[in-house]
Amino acid sequence: MSNAVWYHYPVGLIRVIVVSFISTTLLILGGGFAPQATEAADPGLPFIEDFASTSLRDPAGTTADWSTEEQELLLAWRQTVYGPFAGVAGSDLSWIILNTLCLAVGDMDGDGDLDVVIGNDGLNWLCLNDGDGTTWTCSYISSDAAVTQGVAVADLNGDGALEVVCGSWDGRMYVWDHAGRPLPGWPQSAADQFTSSAALVDLDGDGAPDIVAGSKDGNLYGWDHRGQPLPGFPIYLGHHVLSSPWVGDLEGNGRADIVVGASNGIHLLRDVGSLGIAPWPRFHRDAQNTGYVP
């Protein structure tokens, strides 16, 4: 293993450090501009580095003493692995599924097994589990969607089966049933790309999840499961809406609030509707980002 090189970037009050090796990457924080390189000792893993050198300290940004007399920095590390993971059972779902950007997990065919919905830079795929997770039947959902960066899954129409919701870089929001067939009223169009996943929450009190998603055209859109615009939507936020919305009740008043990020800041929209069932209220569904529908 070669010596480590510390890249430290002045970014205001925070000194950002990235450490890299040929076969191992140690990452503390990354970012900034104009890297400066300083040789570090050839360490073992994990290792504790001596920060006594003032070259790693920005006197204008901090008065902290980085030396090991006062503080030791234990670097977390991760091993970059190419090819099969040793000691891990499993197999590729399909070699023809490439450029995957997102996925969701749920029982799509109603047989009690967890299946996988895969969003790609290209065709989106549905892989059905044969029952023990070793054999999968994969087929593309639709040839229409272009680049899909977020998928959401829920039973939208109350038929007991899960539907797939995804926005695409072609500026359309798609809804398919568990067999990959478009639901009536879909797709719906925006004036620019959808670059994140939708939230699926009942906002009109009819007991069915509605669809809330932002577009690069600056609008936050809301539709019911039939593709009809929700009252008060779309909401223009002034610039590209790039993040997935969070929908919940911040005030405890039973009304839905929405938090969503755009290129001009974070927006909080209060009391946009009644708050009903919320099978997919945020990016990757839950706080653990599982993308899993139980």
Side-chain angles (χ1 to χ4, degrees):
M1 179 181 293
S2 65
N3 285 349
V5 177
W6 295 85
Y7 292 97
H8 50 98
Y9 303 78
V11 286
L13 297 180
I14 300 176
R15 177 69 72 184
V16 180
I17 303 172
V18 176
V19 188
S20 64
F21 301 96
I22 292 177
S23 59
T24 304
T25 298
L26 307 185
L27 175 62
I28 302 177
L29 293 172
F33 302 92
Q36 306 167 19
T38 303
E39 286 290 329
D42 188 8
L45 291 176
F47 77 88
I48 297 172
E49 180 57 75
D50 186 350
F51 277 78
S53 172
T54 57
S55 67
L56 294 176
R57 190 176 74 185
D58 182 0
T62 180
T63 58
D65 184 355
W66 285 85
S67 71
T68 53
E69 284 74 24
E70 292 189 8
Q71 180 177 357
E72 293 180 341
L73 180 64
L74 179 64
L75 298 178
W77 66 280
R78 63 181 177 86
Q79 179 72 41
T80 300
V81 179
Y82 298 93
F85 290 94
V88 178
S91 60
D92 291 336
L93 293 182
S94 173
W95 65 270
I96 57 177
I97 300 175
L98 302 174
N99 301 319
T100 296
L101 301 175
C102 53
L103 58 82
V105 178
D107 182 8
M108 300 301 299
D109 55 4
D111 64 355
D113 304 318
L114 291 179
D115 309 305
V116 182
V117 180
I118 302 170
N120 292 302
D121 180 358
L123 299 177
N124 295 321
W125 288 77
L126 171 62
C127 290
L128 299 178
N129 185 355
D130 70 344
D132 60 8
T134 62
T135 304
W136 298 78
T137 301
C138 297
S139 59
Y140 69 82
I141 298 174
S142 171
S143 60
D144 294 332
V147 180
T148 299
Q149 289 191 289
V151 294
V153 175
D155 181 4
L156 298 181
N157 54 14
D159 64 354
L162 297 176
E163 280 77 44
V164 178
V165 179
C166 76
S168 174
W169 277 21
D170 64 6
R172 292 187 287 183
M173 180 64 62
Y174 295 88
V175 180
W176 298 291
D177 68 12
H178 63 283
R181 297 168 299 210
L183 261 62
W186 300 95
Q188 293 292 324
S189 296
D192 208 333
Q193 300 169 341
F194 289 100
T195 62
S196 59
S197 68
L200 309 180
V201 178
D202 179 16
L203 297 179
D204 58 6
D206 66 354
D210 302 306
I211 298 166
V212 179
S215 168
K216 284 183 68 178
D217 67 9
N219 286 297
L220 182 70
Y221 289 89
W223 300 279
D224 66 18
H225 69 278
R226 301 178 183 88
Q228 296 299 309
L230 294 174
F233 287 86
I235 301 171
Y236 185 62
L237 299 181
H239 216 284
H240 306 319
V241 184
L242 303 177
S243 81
S244 300
W246 175 93
V247 184
D249 183 0
L250 293 173
E251 301 162 306
N253 63 357
R255 303 284 293 173
D257 306 308
I258 298 177
V259 180
V260 64
S263 295
N264 58 357
I266 306 298
H267 297 261
L268 170 58
L269 310 174
R270 296 186 182 276
D271 298 340
V272 296
S274 61
L275 183 62
I277 60 173
W280 196 288
R282 49 160 292 160
F283 178 70
H284 283 177
R285 187 182 177 274
D286 53 37
Q288 292 74 36
N289 292 325
T290 64
Y292 161 61
V293 179

